Amino acid sequence: MPELPEVETVRRGLQPVMEGAKIVKAEARRADLRFPFQPDFVARLQGQVVTGLGRRAKYLMADLASGDVLLMHLGMSGSFRVIKPDDEKSPGEFHYPRGKDSTHDHVLFRMSSGADIVFNDPRRFGYMKVIARNALEDEPLLRGLGPEPLGNEFDAAMLAQSCAGKKTSLKAALLDQRVVAGLGNIYVCEALHRSHLSPRRTAATLATRKGESTDHAKRLVGAIHAVLNDAIKAGGSSLRDHRQTSGELGYFQHSFKVYDREGETCKTPGCGGIVKRFTQNGRSTFWCPKCQK
């Protein structure tokens, strides 16, 4: 499942051709993806100008001049492909064909910018929904989401407050979208390693008895910021399905310190430990028992 850096990378790829442009034509080529399309899905999009393209957690959100918002989720295998009139003349020096099987091209947006934006999703776990902007707070898909990890609100004090009294593991707490939105298995493993905190540590240890943030919380927030920013700069992580809108691979997977490195030497300078893997809450957890306490 794409995590925050992958979704943010896609947003930045779509922004130049989508933001400020009109949806000249919208086309849903099947009745559903993960959920059925709304009966008026196409009608509410066609002819609308995209006034802004944002992200909330793992969702893309296109603001429309009508006051509606197009909510988009990539699911497990969803990807956007941007097709420009001159693509065949200048494919780029690092181009990978992506979603060329038209069988899985389920949604098309023809933009006044001259670009066609195609949503391709072989497994059909992605979804799209048009929501009135003034109804977003009541939208079940968004309601209850925690703070953005790269937002100004998210700091050690906020994380400590959310984890105070929690008896669950620290990793489970970070994967809880009510605690912090957008984090997934890969970047939680990487952030815990950078902050030298064990995924088995109790979440409550991020707060003192008075509910104030500990040094652990401060280190962890700094590590979350760093790993997400590094991943976004690298275009995300391409493990199975993720590609950028240009077709290029993300390459942050080459910078993993622990994720998918079971049996290899820990990259922390002077550590010398061996990366281990165990199953935690149904997910594979990668960590170094020697330097993560």
Side-chain angles (χ1 to χ4, degrees), residues 3 171 174-175 183-199 220 223 227 256-260 276-278 280 283-288 292:
E3 300 182 27
K171 186 188 177 193
L174 293 175
L175 289 175
L183 291 182
N185 196 39
I186 293 174
Y187 299 108
V188 168
C189 286
E190 290 295 304
L192 287 172
H193 179 262
R194 290 193 186 203
S195 56
H196 304 298
L197 297 175
S198 168
L220 181 54
V227 74
F256 288 165
K257 304 296 185 184
V258 286
Y259 189 83
D260 206 25
K276 305 291 185 182
R277 182 186 70 84
F278 68 97
Q280 190 177 28
R283 305 277 189 91
S284 289
T285 293
F286 297 88
W287 71 309
C288 174
Q292 289 181 251

Side-chain angles (χ1 to χ4, degrees), residues 107-263:
V107 181
L108 172 116
F109 303 128
R110 179 153 293 157
M111 309 301 297
S112 62
S113 61
D116 281 355
I117 299 171
V118 180
F119 182 67
N120 184 284
D121 189 1
R123 301 186 195 181
R124 300 201 306 275
F125 268 61
Y127 47 91
M128 296 186 188
K129 185 177 182 180
V130 182
I131 308 163
R133 165 60 70 176
N134 59 15
L136 282 179
E137 290 186 5
D138 298 321
E139 170 55 44
L141 294 171
L142 300 174
R143 193 168 53 227
L145 284 177
E148 287 288 319
L150 293 178
N152 293 331
E153 294 180 342
F154 183 68
D155 58 14
M158 175 175 278
L159 182 58
Q161 186 177 13
S162 298
C163 290
K166 283 188 178 293
K167 296 181 180 180
T168 187
S169 70
L170 183 51
K171 186 188 177 193
L174 293 175
L175 289 175
D176 185 342
Q177 298 299 293
R178 296 167 298 181
V179 173
V180 56
L183 291 182
N185 196 39
I186 293 174
Y187 299 108
V188 168
C189 286
E190 290 295 304
L192 287 172
H193 179 262
R194 290 193 186 203
S195 56
H196 304 298
L197 297 175
S198 168
R200 289 190 166 111
R201 171 183 284 274
T202 303
T205 60
L206 295 188
T208 66
R209 291 183 179 180
K210 294 182 179 180
E212 298 174 347
S213 58
T214 63
D215 287 340
H216 300 319
K218 295 172 185 175
R219 290 209 315 267
L220 181 54
V221 167
I224 290 171
H225 286 159
V227 74
L228 291 179
N229 281 318
D230 287 350
I232 291 169
K233 289 177 183 177
S237 301
S238 293
L239 299 181
R240 295 180 179 87
D241 296 299
H242 172 65
R243 296 290 189 278
Q244 300 180 54
T245 56
S246 61
E248 294 179 7
L249 292 164
Y251 55 90
F252 187 70
Q253 66 274 12
H254 302 303
S255 300
F256 288 165
K257 304 296 185 184
V258 286
Y259 189 83
D260 206 25
R261 295 190 63 248
E262 180 183 11

